[in-house]
Amino acid sequence: MSSNHLKYQKIAAFFSRVYSSRLNPLYHLGDFAIFLFAVASVTGIYIFLFYTINPAHAYDSVQQISANPFNGLMRSMHRYSSDLLVVFVILHLIHSLIIGKYKRLLSWISGVISFLVVVFIGVTGYILVWDQKAKLIGFLTAKFISAVPIFDPAIAGAFLLNNLDYVGGFFKVSLFGHIFFSVLTIIILWIHVLRIENPKIFPPRKLMIYGLLALCVVCVLLPVKSDARAESTFIPYDTTFDWYYFFGYYFMKVLPVWANWVLMLGSGLLLAIIPFMGKKKAVVKPQIDLDKCDACNLCSYDCPYGAIDMLVKNNEIKAILNPDNCVGCGICIASCKEHAITLPGYPVLETLPDAPKHTVAAFSCSYFPQVRMPEGVNAAHYKVPCIGSVNPKDLEKMITGHVCEGVLLMGCEECYFRLGKTWTLDRITHKRPPMLSKKVPLSKVRFITSVQPNVNAEIVAFAQELSNNTAANVHHDTAPLTVRDFLKPNHVIAVLLFTVFFGVLALFSATKLHFYPKNEQLLVLSFKYVSSPTVTTQLQTQEKHMQSPVPMVKSRSPIKLQIVGNSGKTLLVKEYSPRGLRKDIAIFVYEELKVAEPSVNIHITETEAAGKGMQLLNVPLSTKDGVIVTITDGQLKALANN
Ligand code: HEM
Ligand code: SF4
Ligand code: SF4
């Protein structure tokens, strides 16, 4: 996986040239997702103030929000930040997968759950607009759910008919779900980063400013609009489709409902078992010599994975390793000025004055590309698990004891163990203990990151500088630390790049998608049919006054539905009985049929009640909005398109 980490950084380095290594968005995918979640939450609370919680008026209130320039901007920001949240979460997931961090069980599982919850929040958000798209999504959701036999298939039809008696409840559940799950996400995210010490919760301020500016520009250029109002009598043909939230629904267009269930459960299961796949890398863990430990607490602060606790041992507070959390990065070795922490296999450093002399003592991280010291450079080369494991007190000894003229540190642009690079630079530049002594001139230390174009030339140049400076008066050397990294962002290009990226992504937030092909004639039958009783019983009780005057229905007749084209061809023959265990309830029918004939005749006959049934003849079909046939006022009717 170390080579994947390096490849990732090589691609990311392209953006470091614009954003700098510190602000590179590809190194801030998780925290940028949190930032987007925060933007979506704040703008969501704002537009909620102007929203009407009633499906009959919700659409108009959203239209009014859009009509006001500032409120419209807030609405657009709410939508696009939510869309980008999905993109950044998926990128964050891919990043974790590529660099092999999927073994962090708690982070992975809570991450998968947060992703599903985010998608759920988005889908319920779209329902709140109550436009054609909301109708389509409600309809598809109901169709998907009603594949489970205990659910009523008529709910799908109720969405098509915009029957608020039925689907008004769904609207309220969506509103509640949208808000409740947003709050739940905060809790899940807290669990997500629970095991991570010093997690990057929010990205650096400048990166957030770039993001906000770009988002505003995109919102002004591509303001969010609703689809047409959710009307009752036509199939939602002309809807826009948000690929970030509705990707799962697309499969409802191309696959049967059962296949969608297999797909959903299968992909959920696959994501959940990823952490259990492949062998866990054997990790060498550090040992802590408790006699040397003076309980300074530094290793416990510095460990990026919370693997060291300060606990009472033999009446004294000591640093105790929790091996389950430890990933073997060795960063704690550098925290300990007492040298109480050692890692088996860690290179033995030549620090004593009588050690062989070198111009350069070079340290390279195990994730750094394989480097060889160039010919002609007199160097001792130590390979360490993470550059953050190099103890500044050892460097000090090497330089002041003239074991070497200077120290070269070669670490990743994005530290695999998250904090190794930051802690090292802070320790060397006297910002974090244990610090490099101020007596050591910083010109004697150099830091090179893994994606610098010509590492070999850098090493040669550094060795040359050291040789030239040996005779110089180092006491007056106040030069700052030289870090070969991408240090300066270009603000204008950074915002521009974000704007282009966000703008392109925004286009996929409202693509036109004809969920039903326009050139096909669609016939939809959606109704509830109460058939004649076939078995009844008289309720028997001791008390005469409690006896029901009406016989109790035990079962009702099944029905046969027959659809015949005007050419005489039978297009559908199907029998229906009451669903579930009870035989005394109404029968729900939901059918979608693509028909090539100009008109159809529909016959319903009760198979166990002679002469009972309904029919509707000469139902004309067109390629426009589809025809919905339902039962109203006890009669089979084709609804006219608005
Ligand atoms: C709403 C969705 C998510 C947000 C806001 C989010 C955010 C974060 C943040 C802020 C961190 C800490 C990063 C750091 O300090 O370096 C993190 C770590 C992590 N996330 Fe996520 N995450 C989300 C979803 C996911 C998903 C879907 C996965 C994968 C299935 C995932 C996998 C991980 C892993 C493995 C880590 C640990 C990384 C490490 O140890 O260096 N996250 N996440
Ligand atoms: S850094 Fe060293 S001395 Fe300090 S608590 Fe850890 S082991 Fe003990
Ligand atoms: S090796 Fe790394 S993970 Fe393990 S205790 Fe030390 S700092 Fe923590």
Side-chain angles (χ1 to χ4, degrees):
M1 284 298 168
S2 73
S3 68
N4 282 353
H5 179 51
L6 189 61
K7 277 183 206 145
Y8 183 85
Q9 291 176 87
K10 287 211 165 128
I11 295 168
F14 170 75
F15 295 97
S16 297
R17 289 165 199 268
V18 175
Y19 289 89
S20 78
S21 304
R22 198 177 73 82
L23 302 183
N24 188 333
L26 288 185
Y27 300 145
H28 291 281
L29 297 170
D31 38 332
F32 203 81
I34 292 192
F35 161 67
L36 290 166
F37 178 73
V39 174
S41 305
V42 172
T43 50
I45 292 169
Y46 179 80
I47 54 175
F48 190 63
L49 300 175
F50 303 90
Y51 178 74
T52 308
I53 311 169
N54 179 339
H57 306 293
Y59 183 80
D60 291 326
S61 73
V62 175
Q63 290 299 84
Q64 274 167 18
I65 290 172
S66 277
N68 175 301
F70 184 73
N71 296 357
L73 177 72
M74 290 294 109
R75 180 187 175 199
S76 299
M77 286 185 82
H78 186 61
R79 158 86 78 85
Y80 290 141
S81 56
S82 319
D83 283 336
L84 289 169
L85 173 60
V86 174
V87 175
F88 273 83
V89 170
I90 291 175
L91 290 175
H92 172 59
L93 187 153
I94 295 171
H95 176 236
S96 305
L97 209 57
I98 292 178
I99 69 170
K101 292 219 166 163
Y102 54 87
K103 290 273 172 204
R104 309 258 155 84
L105 194 61
L106 188 71
S107 294
W108 184 267
I109 298 289
S110 56
V112 170
I113 295 173
S114 63
F115 177 54
L116 297 178
V117 169
V118 162
V119 172
F120 180 80
I121 297 171
V123 171
T124 49
Y126 273 109
I127 301 289
L128 300 183
V129 183
W130 214 247
D131 58 358
Q132 283 293 61
K133 186 165 44 220
K135 184 167 139 171
L136 176 72
I137 293 307
F139 164 67
L140 292 174
T141 308
K143 207 169 147 189
F144 180 70
I145 292 175
S146 60
V148 181
I150 53 166
F151 290 107
D152 177 352
I155 300 174
F159 275 99
L160 287 187
L161 301 172
N162 200 31
N163 182 344
L164 294 186
D165 291 343
Y166 254 110
V167 297
F170 179 81
F171 174 86
K172 298 219 169 79
V173 169
S174 298
L175 178 67
F176 173 75
H178 193 63
I179 297 169
F180 174 78
F181 280 96
S182 300
V183 176
L184 188 71
T185 306
I186 298 172
I187 299 170
I188 300 173
L189 289 178
W190 173 71
I191 296 172
H192 189 60
V193 295
L194 196 64
R195 283 274 193 93
I196 304 174
E197 287 291 307
N198 296 294
K200 290 181 275 181
I201 300 290
F202 281 104
R205 203 154 37 115
K206 275 189 192 149
L207 191 59
M208 289 196 275
I209 294 173
Y210 298 156
L212 268 184
L213 287 175
L215 200 58
C216 287
V217 175
V218 171
C219 292
V220 170
L221 295 179
L222 300 168
V224 163
K225 294 190 188 104
S226 308
D227 281 2
R229 184 189 297 274
E231 297 291 3
S232 41
T233 55
F234 53 80
I235 309 283
Y237 275 111
D238 264 329
T239 46
T240 54
F241 202 74
D242 181 324
W243 285 97
Y244 307 108
Y245 285 102
F246 300 157
F247 57 90
Y249 288 96
Y250 181 75
F251 296 105
M252 290 286 283
K253 177 176 157 76
V254 289
L255 294 173
V257 177
W258 66 264
N260 278 275
W261 274 97
V262 173
L263 198 67
M264 187 189 79
L265 297 176
S267 44
L269 193 70
L270 183 71
L271 274 177
I273 60 167
I274 283 178
F276 303 98
M277 282 157 54
K279 269 198 183 158
K280 209 170 177 174
K281 209 170 123 192
V283 171
V284 182
K285 304 196 174 166
Q287 289 153 3
I288 305 176
D289 183 340
L290 298 188
D291 292 335
K292 287 189 183 168
C293 172
D294 68 3
C296 73
N297 227 338
L298 288 182
C299 56
S300 171
Y301 282 140
D302 285 356
C303 171
Y305 300 96
I308 299 181
D309 300 309
M310 301 309 296
L311 300 173
V312 177
K313 186 104 184 182
N314 302 331
N315 293 329
E316 281 183 288
I317 293 185
K318 295 285 175 188
I320 307 292
L321 181 78
N322 175 353
D324 290 342
N325 288 2
C326 176
V327 297
C329 62
I331 289 176
C332 50
I333 302 174
S335 313
C336 189
K337 58 186 183 324
E338 305 300 327
H339 287 89
I341 305 180
T342 49
L343 190 70
Y346 196 81
V348 179
L349 309 186
E350 305 270 15
T351 54
L352 299 176
D354 57 355
K357 306 282 182 276
H358 296 284
T359 313
V360 182
F363 293 83
S364 65
C365 158
S366 56
Y367 287 88
F368 201 84
Q370 292 299 323
V371 266
R372 282 204 182 170
M373 289 301 114
E375 262 181 44
V377 173
N378 176 13
H381 184 188
Y382 303 103
K383 293 185 182 173
V384 292
C386 169
I387 205 66
S389 67
V390 182
N391 194 317
K393 293 295 163 197
D394 288 333
L395 304 189
E396 206 172 297
K397 266 197 210 162
M398 287 171 148
I399 296 172
T400 53
H402 299 288
V403 177
C404 63
E405 295 303 328
V407 170
L408 178 66
L409 300 168
M410 294 178 275
C412 299
E413 189 188 33
E414 183 205 29
C415 176
Y416 185 80
F417 300 106
R418 297 176 37 250
L419 299 171
K421 178 184 176 189
T422 316
W423 286 177
T424 307
L425 290 173
D426 285 356
R427 287 165 184 156
I428 305 279
T429 52
H430 321 121
K431 290 184 195 139
R432 186 179 186 88
M435 297 171 194
L436 184 73
S437 162
K438 289 193 176 164
K439 284 186 202 143
V440 177
L442 291 182
S443 62
K444 291 197 168 273
V445 184
R446 181 141 308 172
F447 195 102
I448 303 181
T449 61
S450 46
V451 288
Q452 291 306 301
N454 197 341
V455 173
N456 268 9
E458 291 285 352
I459 300 173
V460 173
F462 181 51
Q464 194 67 50
E465 276 172 45
L466 289 171
S467 309
N468 296 346
N469 286 350
T470 331
N473 185 349
V474 291
H475 294 291
H476 298 292
D477 183 350
T478 53
L481 176 71
T482 303
V483 180
R484 294 279 184 245
D485 200 2
F486 299 108
L487 296 171
K488 282 222 165 97
N490 183 324
H491 305 312
V492 177
I493 300 183
V495 175
L496 213 64
L497 215 59
F498 258 165
T499 310
V500 173
F501 180 55
F502 293 178
V504 171
L505 291 177
L507 297 177
F508 294 93
S509 162
T511 49
K512 275 265 173 210
L513 185 88
H514 298 300
F515 219 81
Y516 295 94
K518 277 237 152 190
N519 51 2
E520 283 176 354
Q521 300 182 145
L522 194 72
L523 174 69
V524 176
L525 289 103
S526 173
F527 55 80
K528 175 172 139 184
Y529 188 96
V530 185
S531 58
S532 312
T534 49
V535 181
T536 54
T537 50
Q538 195 72 44
L539 191 67
Q540 296 297 326
T541 64
Q542 298 293 331
E543 309 293 330
K544 254 207 152 17
H545 68 275
M546 283 179 70
Q547 285 192 358
S548 165
V550 193
M552 290 281 294
V553 176
K554 288 282 280 183
S555 80
R556 292 182 182 276
S557 168
I559 58 168
K560 186 165 96 179
L561 173 69
Q562 196 175 10
I563 301 173
V564 183
N566 77 331
S567 66
K569 188 175 163 200
T570 302
L571 305 173
L572 178 89
V573 183
K574 201 165 167 184
E575 287 213 15
Y576 304 82
S577 302
R579 267 198 166 195
L581 297 175
R582 287 180 61 182
K583 296 280 165 246
D584 60 333
I585 53 173
I587 295 167
F588 293 100
V589 171
Y590 183 83
E591 293 295 342
E592 267 175 33
L593 235 73
K594 284 169 197 155
V595 181
E597 312 238 356
S599 66
V600 290
N601 298 327
I602 301 168
H603 308 275
I604 300 171
T605 42
E606 297 189 18
T607 53
E608 291 174 17
K612 296 276 173 139
M614 286 180 189
Q615 63 177 8
L616 185 64
L617 304 178
N618 291 323
V619 180
L621 295 164
S622 76
T623 52
K624 222 182 135 255
D625 294 322
V627 170
I628 304 176
V629 172
T630 189
I631 295 177
T632 41
D633 304 329
Q635 284 189 352
L636 208 48
K637 281 185 191 159
L639 297 176
N641 293 331
N642 315 44

